[in-house]
Amino acid sequence: MRPRSESADRPVLEAAGVSRSYRRGQETVEAVRDVSLAIVPGELTLILGPSGGGKSTLLHLLGGMDRPTKGEVRSQGVAVSRLPAEALAVFRRRQIGFVFQSFYLLPHLTAADNVAMPLLLDNVPSARRRQRAQQLLTQVGLADRAEFYPGQLSGGEAQRVAIARALAADPPILIADEPTGDLDSASGQQVMELLAGLAHQERRAVVVVTHNESFVPLADRVFRIRDGRLSGDDSAKTTVAASQAPMTAGPRPVAALVGLALKAAWRRPSRSILTGLGVAVGIAAMVLLVSVGAGLSQRVTQSILSEGPLTTIFVSPQAASAGSSSLFTGSATSGPTHPIFASTIKSLGSLPGAVGAWAEVDLIGRAMAHSRQTLIVVTALPPQALWPDKVAPTLSQGRLPLRTGQAAISASIGKALFPAITTPKGWLGKQISVAVSASTGQGGSGFAPLAQAALTVRTFTVSGVLAAGLGSAQVAIPYPQGVAWFTSGAAKGTIASYPGAEVVAGSAGQVSALANRITKLGFGVTSMSSIVTQVQSAFSTVEVGLGVVGGIALVVAGLMIAVVMAMAVLERRREIGVLRALGSTTADVFFLFLTEATLVGFAGAAVGLLIGWSLGKLAEAVLAQPGLFLVQIWLAVLALVLGTVVALVAGAIPAGRAARLNPVEALRQD
Ligand code: ADP
């Protein structure tokens, strides 16, 4: 033993009558019995003793890793062993540097990052962490090993890195548990001299547990512990009263912990990828199913909209019967009838919110050219004044009929009447005769025969060919001529009433108010927007159903994450123990594992979204059905959020288990 210096400092750490017992089945094991000792700055204290004598238990008590069952551990007036868990973590972080027999460097971090770890846990900015790590590595003679990973270091080098890590937060106390146990004698001697130097030159309090009697000459104090009882130097027994000063943690080093979680996930790429893939499959299934629902919904909506714009309101003479709310109200109703006369059209068109109105004119008849004829429906186009509101049909050839005697025909009529002319362009300018015999009736219910006068045959010049979607055999003629023709068919002494009317609202937002006004007048009303709304709500139900099916896959993925994370926690007990020894709080550990699960979940969700989207695009290409899978922004966002949340929930249980892990148990060599 070294000769004792006269001017010994006041102790920085004291054990006062400390005992620690464990229950093992029925019996109680007294690992440490009534131990009192003081640790003094500037001194190297050795604790020697046989295996199972209680050395590690005593170190854990001194280092704030464990609490005594009796007695008290104090540091500079603070009753450390009575601090709340979080404050105890802060005590370890700032007051204690731990050195372990097997180094316990984190394998996925470089030497420099390992050294900087306690500073990271204490929220020190990264530039200062790096600088301090480099300085400490230089001090232990490993400046050139900063970027080496633990696997690339010799045992002696690894232990010196671990000592540098213990010094990172500049703690007044160093605690080393068999630091030379895994080293050859030369490296062991070097490490021990380094520790002695830290006591004597830097005036830290250094406590070392060892088997090795040959280190005794380096020590200032030597204790021996056997069966939990301490003997030897007890010159510094103290009776300093302890107070409970607060030890508060700074803010959680969120960014640093997220970085750590990323590195941990990256360390076992195949496992992280497999876990993430579980989420990816669930998300891909959900995205595919929901997007095909959305795609179909959009298709149906578009085909409805091709029948007329959202601002159009269909008016029929018959009001819907009460309670009837089917998709096509008006078709199967039995309310009172309100005939639609020319005057009715006028007043409908001047209702507040309306841009205009026109009569629906549909006449059944035949079209003829040369000796051929075909059955047709004659439709009056909407009045030209309303065309800017996009109520005019679209053409594939030529132009819309503007003057009396012009007509646009569907392609099927052209084919039937002019079989010799194969290009629709060739039909333009041809003459056809049209005879009508019936109207499509009142309110669309059945066909009403026309009076004799209607049988007049009229001749038209083909001005255009209608685009598909307007009915298969249609002759569209100018509004005024259609109205006149229809009216002339009214029986003598009666005023013609139309089978229906269409009212154009100023904007889609005005449709429902306008439709209400028309309903109040006693007419039946159907609007494009109401049909679209109903179709879309029907499809939303389908989409939700499909989403739930995809969701089941997600639940399975969540279970997978929970299992894999639980395995990871078992496997990484030691890492958790080291983090706790370096001063992480339980909340830090919880956050770390939860973040890892969440990152994997988010990455999996992103990949799943990409897979779902790509498979959709592939299917569209193979089936030649563009737009069949519609991935809307909300779906993409939902997929990412859902995948992340599933991982978060699934990760919470194993993360909680990691956080609750007893650090002493976690670090036990077994
Ligand atoms: P050393 O470090 O000197 O080898 P330890 O401090 O590890 O000794 O152990 C001292 C005694 O306490 C041993 O008998 C050991 O079996 C017992 N012990 C340590 N930890 C536990 C525990 N968690 N549960 C039960 N017994 C324990």
Side-chain angles (χ1 to χ4, degrees):
M1 217 183 332
R2 295 172 81 234
R4 201 64 162 281
S5 77
E6 287 309 311
S7 61
D9 292 81
R10 279 169 57 86
V12 281
L13 192 63
E14 299 152 75
V18 164
S19 298
R20 175 67 164 105
S21 54
Y22 295 104
R23 293 207 67 81
R24 199 188 278 152
Q26 292 297 329
E27 57 178 321
T28 306
V29 181
E30 289 265 6
V32 167
R33 305 170 200 235
D34 192 24
V35 166
S36 295
L37 85 164
I39 308 295
V40 180
E43 294 191 351
L44 173 64
T45 303
L46 283 193
I47 299 178
L48 291 146
S51 182
K55 303 185 295 292
S56 303
T57 306
L58 179 59
L59 277 196
H60 289 142
L61 292 172
L62 289 173
M65 289 278 279
D66 194 9
R67 296 175 197 270
T69 36
K70 253 198 329 230
E72 204 168 72
V73 176
R74 302 168 188 151
S75 175
Q76 297 156 84
V78 177
V80 170
S81 52
R82 284 195 266 132
L83 286 175
E86 174 139 329
L88 196 58
V90 176
F91 168 75
R92 291 195 296 269
R93 194 186 300 168
R94 302 204 180 133
Q95 303 293 313
I96 307 278
F98 275 105
V99 178
F100 307 96
Q101 176 172 350
S102 306
F103 332 132
Y104 292 164
L105 298 175
L106 300 186
H108 53 294
L109 300 182
T110 61
D113 283 346
N114 265 292
V115 171
M117 179 62 86
L119 301 175
L120 181 146
L121 296 175
D122 216 11
N123 231 342
V124 173
S126 98
R128 266 195 44 215
R129 291 204 302 262
R130 249 198 305 277
Q131 190 192 352
R132 175 89 179 131
Q134 197 57 44
Q135 176 203 339
L136 287 166
L137 284 171
T138 308
Q139 186 182 345
V140 298
L142 294 173
D144 55 337
R145 298 287 195 270
E147 296 312 313
F148 281 43
Y149 283 87
Q152 301 166 307
L153 300 172
S154 74
E157 288 171 338
Q159 193 60 300
R160 281 187 282 153
V161 170
I163 291 171
R165 173 177 68 183
L167 292 171
D170 199 16
I173 305 159
L174 282 186
I175 289 182
D177 191 356
E178 305 262 17
T180 61
D182 283 4
L183 302 179
D184 59 78
S185 61
S187 307
Q189 186 65 30
Q190 201 182 11
V191 160
M192 209 59 203
E193 280 167 11
L194 179 60
L195 288 169
L198 292 170
H200 303 140
Q201 276 122 49
E202 299 194 357
R203 304 212 56 78
R204 295 179 206 270
V206 181
V207 188
V208 177
V209 152
T210 182
H211 272 108
N212 196 332
E213 296 281 343
S214 69
F215 296 135
V216 170
L218 286 171
D220 302 281
R221 292 168 193 244
V222 176
F223 294 96
R224 292 174 196 275
I225 187 167
R226 175 184 288 274
D227 295 333
R229 287 187 205 286
L230 194 74
S231 61
D233 189 331
D234 58 354
S235 59
K237 257 192 189 165
T238 71
T239 47
V240 183
S243 68
Q244 268 213 42
M247 282 226 184
T248 45
R252 188 177 317 293
V254 170
L257 287 175
V258 169
L260 214 54
L262 254 180
K263 277 183 187 158
W266 200 243
R267 175 158 47 127
R268 293 187 183 78
S270 55
R271 186 155 80 186
S272 298
I273 286 169
L274 265 179
T275 321
L277 216 55
V279 177
V281 168
I283 290 292
M286 195 193 82
V287 165
L288 265 179
L289 290 171
V290 175
S291 69
V292 77
L296 287 174
S297 164
Q298 196 193 43
R299 277 186 174 204
V300 172
T301 306
Q302 271 168 356
S303 83
I304 293 171
L305 286 180
S306 72
E307 295 290 324
L310 275 175
T311 47
T312 306
I313 299 169
F314 301 96
V315 181
S316 70
Q318 240 166 357
S321 57
S324 146
S325 64
S326 79
L327 203 54
F328 300 102
T329 39
S331 58
T333 54
S334 54
T337 302
H338 290 74
I340 300 173
F341 302 116
S343 59
T344 320
I345 304 284
K346 235 189 188 140
S347 50
L348 284 175
S350 51
L351 282 173
V355 175
W358 74 95
E360 251 174 38
V361 175
D362 289 317
L363 298 160
I364 313 280
R366 284 167 294 148
M368 296 157 285
H370 310 294
S371 56
R372 297 176 189 279
Q373 58 171 300
T374 182
L375 286 174
I376 52 136
V377 172
V378 177
T379 308
L381 288 174
Q384 202 185 342
L386 294 174
W387 288 4
D389 291 288
K390 301 199 186 72
V391 292
T394 46
L395 296 180
S396 63
Q397 283 295 332
R399 354 163 136 217
L400 286 167
L402 292 179
R403 271 169 306 188
T404 304
Q406 290 187 327
I409 60 170
S410 15
S412 67
I413 299 176
K415 281 182 200 145
L417 297 184
F418 311 107
I421 305 172
T422 49
T423 53
K425 207 170 181 172
W427 305 331
L428 300 180
K430 296 281 172 207
Q431 302 253 308
I432 60 169
S433 306
V434 177
V436 292
S437 54
S439 88
T440 49
Q442 305 279 303
S445 53
F447 301 112
L450 291 177
Q452 207 54 30
L455 290 177
T456 354
V457 176
R458 301 196 179 178
T459 306
F460 295 92
T461 308
V462 176
S463 70
V465 179
L466 295 165
L470 252 196
S472 54
Q474 199 139 24
V475 174
I477 62 173
Y479 185 71
Q481 193 180 7
V483 168
W485 205 358
F486 183 84
T487 337
S488 71
K492 272 220 158 41
T494 65
I495 307 170
S497 77
Y498 299 98
E502 293 181 29
V503 181
V504 178
S507 68
Q510 290 171 303
V511 166
S512 76
L514 183 54
N516 280 341
R517 279 190 197 101
I518 300 171
T519 311
K520 285 210 184 95
L521 295 174
F523 297 105
V525 164
T526 309
S527 64
M528 276 302 174
S529 59
S530 76
I531 294 176
V532 167
T533 308
Q534 290 185 48
V535 165
Q536 284 179 340
S537 90
F539 267 101
S540 300
T541 314
V542 174
E543 281 169 42
V544 168
L546 292 173
V548 166
V549 174
I552 292 171
L554 259 188
V555 169
V556 174
L559 288 176
M560 202 165 123
I561 291 186
V563 169
V564 172
M565 287 296 294
M567 271 162 44
V569 169
L570 284 183
E571 210 171 278
R572 284 156 64 185
R573 287 164 59 94
R574 189 132 304 157
E575 178 185 334
I576 295 166
V578 172
L579 286 173
R580 295 293 301 282
L582 298 184
S584 313
T585 60
T586 52
D588 288 340
V589 172
F590 182 74
F591 181 84
L592 186 66
F593 275 80
L594 199 60
T595 304
E596 197 179 320
T598 309
L599 285 173
V600 168
F602 177 78
V607 170
L609 179 61
L610 201 68
I611 292 176
W613 180 82
S614 316
L615 284 181
K617 287 284 157 232
L618 191 70
E620 282 178 2
V622 169
L623 302 171
Q625 297 273 347
L628 188 58
F629 293 83
L630 186 65
V631 180
Q632 284 154 314
I633 289 290
W634 68 263
L635 179 59
V637 172
L638 181 76
L640 292 180
V641 170
L642 218 58
T644 311
V645 167
V646 162
L648 192 79
V649 171
I653 295 168
R657 210 191 265 178
R660 281 194 308 274
L661 203 60
N662 176 337
V664 174
E665 293 296 316
L667 284 178
R668 192 162 287 282
Q669 303 254 18
D670 46 13

